[in-house]
Amino acid sequence: MLINVRFDTSKLTSKYSNLMSPNGEIQSMIDKEILRGVTPYVPFKTGRLSMSAKSNTKVGSGSIVWTAPYAKQMYRGTTKNGRDMVYNKSKHPLAGPMWTERYKANHINELKQMIIKKVKSV
């Protein structure tokens, strides 16, 4: 399962656009922050799902990839029978479906501030 988080960078000058390009400083910083920050939102039973993203995501690519065979089903939050999943929240209290969307909704301003701070430091 591939999740892309995109920011509109069309207003950046060419001086800054290379920072947001694949493998640029800002893109790598954001990828690392999202990998770290989204973890409490990702369902956790054995850790395989979380580890699949950490071991299969190329930091700086702009894409976070969960490769566990059940990742898509867990992300959607429904069983094969179409019932809503019940998530164990003992290890990850924020665990549930659509974890990237919920993380983004809760942290978009922090991510934007990280980008602004980095751009200002260049």
Side-chain angles (χ1 to χ4, degrees), residues 9 11-21 26 118-122:
T9 60
K11 293 186 169 88
L12 292 175
T13 66
S14 61
K15 174 183 176 183
Y16 301 112
S17 63
N18 64 342
L19 294 172
M20 285 298 291
S21 65
I26 291 176
K118 184 65 175 176
V119 166
K120 285 181 177 180
S121 74
V122 174

Coordinates of all heavy atoms in Angstrom, one line a residue, residues 9 11-21 26 118-122:
T9 N 3.8 23.1 -3.9 CA 5.1 23.9 -3.8 C 5.2 24.8 -5.0 O 6.3 25.3 -5.3 CB 6.3 23.0 -3.7 OG1 6.3 22.1 -4.9 CG2 6.3 22.1 -2.5
K11 N 4.5 27.8 -5.5 CA 4.9 29.2 -5.2 C 6.3 29.3 -4.8 O 6.8 30.4 -4.6 CB 3.9 29.8 -4.2 CG 2.5 29.9 -4.7 CD 1.6 30.6 -3.8 CE 0.3 31.0 -4.4 NZ -0.7 30.1 -4.4
L12 N 7.0 28.2 -4.7 CA 8.4 28.3 -4.3 C 9.3 28.7 -5.5 O 9.0 28.3 -6.6 CB 8.9 26.9 -3.8 CG 8.4 26.4 -2.5 CD1 8.9 25.0 -2.2 CD2 8.7 27.4 -1.3
T13 N 10.3 29.5 -5.2 CA 11.2 29.9 -6.3 C 12.1 28.7 -6.6 O 12.2 27.8 -5.8 CB 12.0 31.1 -5.9 OG1 12.9 30.7 -4.9 CG2 11.2 32.3 -5.6
S14 N 12.8 28.8 -7.7 CA 13.7 27.7 -8.1 C 14.8 27.5 -7.0 O 15.3 26.4 -6.8 CB 14.3 27.9 -9.5 OG 15.0 29.1 -9.4
K15 N 15.1 28.6 -6.3 CA 16.1 28.5 -5.2 C 15.7 27.5 -4.2 O 16.5 26.7 -3.6 CB 16.3 29.8 -4.6 CG 17.2 29.9 -3.4 CD 17.3 31.2 -2.8 CE 18.1 31.2 -1.5 NZ 18.1 32.5 -0.8
Y16 N 14.4 27.4 -3.9 CA 13.9 26.5 -2.9 C 13.3 25.2 -3.4 O 13.2 24.2 -2.7 CB 12.8 27.2 -2.1 CG 13.3 28.5 -1.4 CD1 12.9 29.7 -1.8 CD2 14.3 28.4 -0.4 CE1 13.4 30.9 -1.2 CE2 14.8 29.5 0.2 CZ 14.3 30.8 -0.2 OH 14.8 31.9 0.4
S17 N 12.9 25.2 -4.7 CA 12.2 24.0 -5.2 C 13.1 22.8 -5.1 O 12.6 21.7 -5.0 CB 11.7 24.2 -6.6 OG 12.8 24.5 -7.5
N18 N 14.4 22.9 -5.3 CA 15.3 21.7 -5.2 C 15.3 21.1 -3.8 O 15.6 20.0 -3.6 CB 16.7 22.0 -5.7 CG 17.4 23.1 -4.8 OD1 16.8 23.8 -4.1 ND2 18.7 23.1 -4.9
L19 N 15.0 21.9 -2.8 CA 14.9 21.4 -1.4 C 13.7 20.4 -1.3 O 13.7 19.5 -0.5 CB 14.7 22.5 -0.4 CG 15.9 23.5 -0.2 CD1 15.5 24.6 0.7 CD2 17.1 22.8 0.3
M20 N 12.6 20.7 -2.1 CA 11.4 19.9 -2.0 C 11.4 18.8 -3.1 O 10.6 17.9 -3.1 CB 10.2 20.7 -2.3 CG 9.8 21.6 -1.1 SD 9.3 20.6 0.4 CE 7.8 19.8 -0.1
S21 N 12.4 18.8 -3.9 CA 12.5 17.8 -5.0 C 12.7 16.4 -4.3 O 13.2 16.3 -3.2 CB 13.5 18.1 -6.0 OG 14.8 18.1 -5.4
I26 N 14.3 19.1 2.3 CA 13.0 19.2 3.0 C 12.2 18.0 2.8 O 11.5 17.5 3.7 CB 12.2 20.5 2.4 CG1 12.9 21.7 2.9 CG2 10.8 20.5 2.9 CD1 12.4 23.0 2.4
K118 N 12.8 25.6 7.7 CA 13.9 25.1 6.9 C 14.2 26.0 5.8 O 15.3 26.4 5.5 CB 13.6 23.7 6.4 CG 14.7 23.1 5.6 CD 15.9 22.8 6.5 CE 17.0 22.1 5.8 NZ 18.2 22.0 6.6
V119 N 13.1 26.5 5.1 CA 13.3 27.4 4.0 C 14.0 28.7 4.5 O 14.8 29.3 3.8 CB 11.9 27.7 3.3 CG1 12.0 28.9 2.4 CG2 11.5 26.5 2.5
K120 N 13.5 29.2 5.6 CA 14.1 30.4 6.2 C 15.6 30.3 6.6 O 16.3 31.2 6.6 CB 13.3 30.9 7.4 CG 12.0 31.5 7.0 CD 11.3 32.0 8.2 CE 10.0 32.7 7.9 NZ 9.2 33.2 9.0
S121 N 16.0 29.0 6.9 CA 17.4 28.8 7.3 C 18.3 28.7 6.1 O 19.5 28.7 6.3 CB 17.5 27.6 8.2 OG 17.3 26.4 7.4
V122 N 17.8 28.7 4.9 CA 18.6 28.5 3.7 C 19.1 29.8 3.2 O 18.4 30.8 3.2 CB 17.9 27.7 2.6 CG1 18.7 27.7 1.3 CG2 17.5 26.3 3.1

